[in-house]
């Protein structure tokens, strides 16, 4: 089976920095460490409220890292202007609500198809790989293909929550739906990624989905870094992902 790329989301390095209003810990330093530890890409989410990553972080990441940057954002005019200025490798469009703690659901591509088709056209023309962060609902997958997205990232948050709550049957059903979603997306010519809420304990069944090409993982890794350091935390995730794919092959 093809090796799975690991994108490391460094948002929460910025969360810790911003808690004190100081200059550290520095998200760019984390990204460079992640690169050294074997990350294949860096993901950062510039939220409308700038609660973690800020504009200057995106500039620094674009200038400083040697691996692809996946720029996560809401589909707003403000973000399109920033993306078109920076031209990152990839843009992952996510829904955003101010009151949420994290990205709670997938994007409603089917319900906003015309606007999103127009929204992504200039981003694609600028050379960015455009990704839609969606649930496994076939309607959302099919709409993502129709509007010309290159990638869908399947939201694994619900699976992760069920797994953490010990709801094994429900987690298995969710996993099965994610597998079907990955198969459908792949059959429509979309590159398939996944992420949200992934940990050492729940990553293996997701990593074993053959159509997947990339996982994006953040919060858990930054938490583990407190105990074992960021490099070793990423290396351990890499090992578990590779093992899961090996076993499946
Ligand atoms: N992928 C997307 C699109 C996300 O919005 C997030 C969270 O910012 C992640 C992956 C990473 O999720 P987590 O931080 O829970 O690992």
């Amino acid at each position: 089976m093809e090796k799975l790329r690991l994108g490391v989301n460094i948002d929460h390095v910025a969360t810790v920095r911003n808690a004190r209003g100081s200059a550290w810990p520095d998200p760019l330093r984390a990204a460079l460490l992640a690169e050294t530890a074997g990350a294949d890409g860096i993901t950062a989410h510039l939220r409308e409220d700038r609660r973690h990553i800020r504009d200057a972080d995106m500039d620094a990441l674009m200038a400083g890292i040697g691996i692809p940057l996946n720029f996560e954002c809401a589909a707003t005019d403000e973000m399109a202007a920033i993306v078109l200025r920076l031209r990152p490798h990839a843009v992952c469009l996510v829904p955003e609500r101010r009151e949420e703690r994290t990205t709670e659901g997938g994007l409603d591509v089917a319900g906003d198809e015309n606007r999103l088709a127009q929204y992504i056209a200039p981003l694609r023309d600028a050379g960015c790989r455009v990704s839609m962060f969606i649930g496994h609902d076939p309607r959302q997958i099919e709409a993502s293909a129709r509007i010309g997205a290159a990638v869908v990232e399947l939201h694994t948050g619900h699976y992760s929550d069920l797994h953490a709550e010990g709801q094994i049957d429900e987690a298995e059903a969710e996993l099965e739906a994610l597998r079907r979603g990955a198969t459908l997306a792949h059959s429509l010519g979309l590159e398939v990624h996944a992420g949200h809420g992934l940990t050492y304990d729940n990553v293996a069944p997701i990593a074993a989905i053959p159509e997947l090409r990339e996982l994006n993982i953040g919060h858990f890794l930054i938490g583990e870094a407190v105990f074992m350091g960021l490099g070793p935390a990423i290396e351990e995730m890499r090992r578990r992902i590779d093992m899961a794919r090996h076993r499946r092959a």
Side-chain angles (χ1 to χ4, degrees):
M1 221 189 291
E2 222 173 291
K3 195 169 179 229
L4 205 46
R5 291 196 301 269
L6 172 60
V8 173
N9 181 318
I10 50 144
D11 291 349
H12 296 301
V13 176
T15 303
V16 176
R17 176 195 62 191
N18 297 355
R20 273 297 176 91
S22 62
W24 53 84
D26 175 14
L28 174 61
R29 185 174 167 200
L32 293 171
L33 244 170
E35 188 174 339
T36 305
D40 301 291
I42 298 297
T43 292
H45 183 177
L46 187 64
R47 293 186 77 103
E48 183 199 8
D49 62 9
R50 310 301 199 268
R51 70 173 70 156
H52 37 58
I53 293 292
R54 295 174 176 156
D55 301 56
D57 295 320
M58 285 298 196
D59 287 342
L61 290 168
M62 276 301 293
I65 63 176
I67 50 179
L69 178 67
N70 178 28
F71 188 124
E72 243 186 71
C73 62
T76 63
D77 290 344
E78 182 199 18
M79 291 299 151
I82 299 170
V83 166
L84 290 173
R85 177 172 66 78
L86 292 178
R87 298 179 178 235
H89 167 79
V91 180
C92 181
L93 296 180
V94 301
E96 220 176 81
R97 285 188 294 128
R98 264 176 188 262
E99 65 276 17
E100 71 188 356
R101 259 193 283 177
T102 181
T103 313
E104 284 167 1
L107 197 62
D108 182 12
V109 184
D112 200 10
E113 200 169 321
N114 291 340
R115 187 184 79 88
L116 285 171
Q118 284 178 20
Y119 186 86
I120 70 171
L123 309 185
R124 266 194 351 222
D125 292 346
C128 303
R129 281 181 76 67
V130 179
S131 168
M132 299 284 143
F133 187 49
I134 56 172
H136 48 61
D137 178 352
R139 286 182 321 124
Q140 302 298 346
I141 296 168
E142 285 159 4
S144 299
R146 275 197 302 274
I147 67 169
V151 180
V152 285
E153 179 166 331
L154 299 179
H155 196 316
T156 53
H158 188 44
Y159 157 77
S160 300
D161 289 344
L162 292 168
H163 193 279
E165 289 157 11
Q167 301 195 50
I168 302 305
D169 291 347
E170 291 83 351
E172 186 53 42
E174 181 66 11
L175 189 56
E176 194 48 44
L178 287 162
R179 289 188 189 113
R180 283 196 301 273
T183 304
L184 172 64
H186 181 71
S187 75
L188 295 172
L190 291 157
E191 184 172 305
V192 194
H193 301 176
H196 212 279
L198 296 176
T199 68
Y200 292 156
D201 288 340
N202 67 21
V203 76
I206 296 290
I209 298 175
E211 293 89 353
L212 286 186
R213 290 291 167 269
E214 180 175 309
L215 294 181
N216 284 301
I217 308 181
H219 183 259
F220 177 80
L221 287 175
I222 303 306
E224 280 303 287
V226 171
F227 304 107
M228 61 199 288
L230 185 57
I234 292 169
E235 283 160 12
E236 175 62 13
M237 187 60 86
R238 173 88 265 166
R239 194 183 67 77
R240 289 180 185 238
I241 291 169
D242 291 347
M243 221 165 57
R245 277 182 98 73
H246 233 80
R247 262 199 232 111
R248 175 70 213 244

